Amino acid sequence: MEFSYHNPTAIEFGKGKIEAITNLIPKDNKVLVVYGGGSIKNNGAYDQVVKALENHEWLEFSGVEPNPTVETMNKAVEVIKNEKVDFILAVGGGSVIDGCKYLAAAALYDGDAWDFLDGSAEVEKAMPLGVVLTLAATGSESNNLAVVSRKSTDEKRLYFSNHSYPQFAILDASFMSTLSDRQLSNGLVDAFVHISEQYLTKTNTTLVNDGYAETLYRGLVKLANRWDERRTYLWQENLMHICNQALNFQLGAGVVQDWSTHLIGHELTAFYGLDHGRSLTVVLPHLLREMMDDKGEKIAQMGENVFGIKDDNEAVIQKIEAVFHSIDVATKLNEYDIDDKVIENVQSAFKSHGYLEIGENGTVTLDKVANILTRSMVA
Ligand code: NZQ
Ligand code: ZN
């Protein structure tokens, strides 16, 4: 067992915790409050931010879109430079947070900050960033990953940087009351797949990682089984907690990971606009069947410890599909508005990004990707 893990994001979890930002952001800092399309004005988050910042100098930037783009965030870079902003406060879901991670780095970078996304430069410094989370899903609020798109080229790319951890994250599930069923289900399946990408790989001897992953899975299955309680605070705060834990990369520390489902899903979003969560559920079950030789033992372990299914991996995969279906999330690509170029598009994007042999064993090749997508499209 060997790993380095350092997560500097302070978590403030619970009702009313937003008050903490008054002291978490230095009083003499000029703050840029960044948000998306305005949902924060309906759930109390905006009003509470205004109150918490009453003794700070601050201004705002809105309009960050789902799947944030460099085109939009580069406009915020200008605001930061012109207004001499010291601190960025992201208020929203994964898109606003990721957009702000990019913004925090781009504002201190001389070149075209897409360089971080295409891998030609690494982030060496970033402005301080804080988060008020309004949507449980990505875990972005306390991790070092940013996923950003470029509209002009239909690309959705990602980078990791230890400069991109938010300094703090406020997790108050009261802000989730305005989420639609679709957003709640997207969050649940996103977390499910985050666990899977760190767990459904090779068998290992790390008891903590596997045990915690299985606990989180069982929590999500319980929330899916109690879908009729999804409007309760109790249900929503548990989703928020699980989503946070599923992707602060503690599950992945010291074990081999496989982010193939996400990499394929990101292309489906880039080309066809699928919601992030839904781009994953049309891939995961088919990937598990296609990669059974690599993942069989771990699927069996999950079957036994999460679902109580013994020696029947196909039944485990069907159970995963049933969990997704039970909260009205599709597992077939042909349920979405795609075209006959989907395999070609994903393969050519993978080629240009150098994703030729991905997965825990480097066995998810372009042919395998084609097979996975084909499986997802047969009636
Ligand atoms: O624009 P606003 O008004 O904020 O509305 C958003 C948006 O339309 C809305 N919303 C957010 N909170 C709400 C709300 N609506 C009502 N009530 C609330 N309380 O929800 C819509 C979707 O928001 P978005 O931020 O896009 O969702 P999510 O949190 O799922 O983030 C998805 C993005 O994160 C990336 C995805 O690829 C995608 O770009 N990911 C980031 C990761 C990371 N950084 O660790 C990992 C993930 O795997 C993922 O790839
Ligand atoms: Zn995800």
Side-chain angles (χ1 to χ4, degrees), residues 341-359:
K341 289 210 170 63
V342 58
I343 292 178
E344 192 184 319
N345 283 339
V346 174
Q347 284 186 324
S348 76
F350 265 39
K351 265 186 227 160
S352 79
H353 300 158
Y355 301 156
L356 302 178
E357 292 174 336
I358 57 174

Side-chain angles (χ1 to χ4, degrees), residues 116-281:
F116 304 138
L117 280 311
D118 73 11
S120 55
E122 277 193 17
V123 176
E124 285 175 0
K125 52 189 170 181
M127 291 179 57
L129 166 68
V131 168
V132 178
L133 186 66
T134 64
L135 188 160
T138 63
S140 181
E141 64 276 9
S142 62
N143 72 33
N144 60 348
L145 166 61
V147 187
V148 182
S149 299
R150 183 162 70 179
K151 220 183 299 174
S152 62
T153 51
D154 273 347
E155 282 177 278
K156 178 166 179 162
R157 305 294 307 271
L158 56 86
Y159 68 84
F160 292 89
S161 167
N162 284 345
H163 299 285
S164 294
Y165 282 104
Q167 286 191 353
F168 62 81
I170 310 293
L171 275 63
D172 177 347
S174 338
F175 302 138
M176 293 173 65
S177 63
T178 47
L179 289 169
S180 63
D181 287 353
R182 173 168 153 169
Q183 288 159 336
L184 291 174
S185 59
N186 283 350
L188 196 156
V189 300
D190 194 17
F192 195 99
V193 179
H194 293 159
I195 303 166
S196 304
E197 306 265 42
Q198 296 167 93
Y199 170 92
L200 283 176
T201 58
K202 304 179 190 186
T203 48
N204 61 51
T205 52
T206 56
L207 300 175
V208 167
N209 302 53
D210 279 8
Y212 198 35
E214 289 160 3
T215 296
L216 296 176
Y217 269 137
R218 285 192 295 268
L220 289 175
V221 171
K222 192 172 264 183
L223 293 181
N225 288 340
R226 296 184 179 177
W227 184 239
D228 56 342
E229 295 169 26
R230 65 193 176 280
R231 293 281 143 216
T232 63
Y233 183 77
L234 197 68
W235 193 99
Q236 295 182 354
E237 72 173 357
N238 271 295
L239 183 67
M240 189 172 244
H241 195 197
I242 296 175
C243 290
N244 176 261
Q245 296 293 297
L247 199 55
N248 59 13
F249 288 105
Q250 213 180 320
L251 288 182
V255 300
V256 64
Q257 303 175 37
D258 169 17
W259 287 88
S260 305
T261 299
H262 270 71
L263 293 179
I264 299 170
H266 285 172
E267 302 305 344
L268 297 174
T269 299
F271 287 106
Y272 303 103
L274 270 69
D275 290 356
H276 174 64
R278 279 152 209 262
S279 77
L280 307 173
T281 55

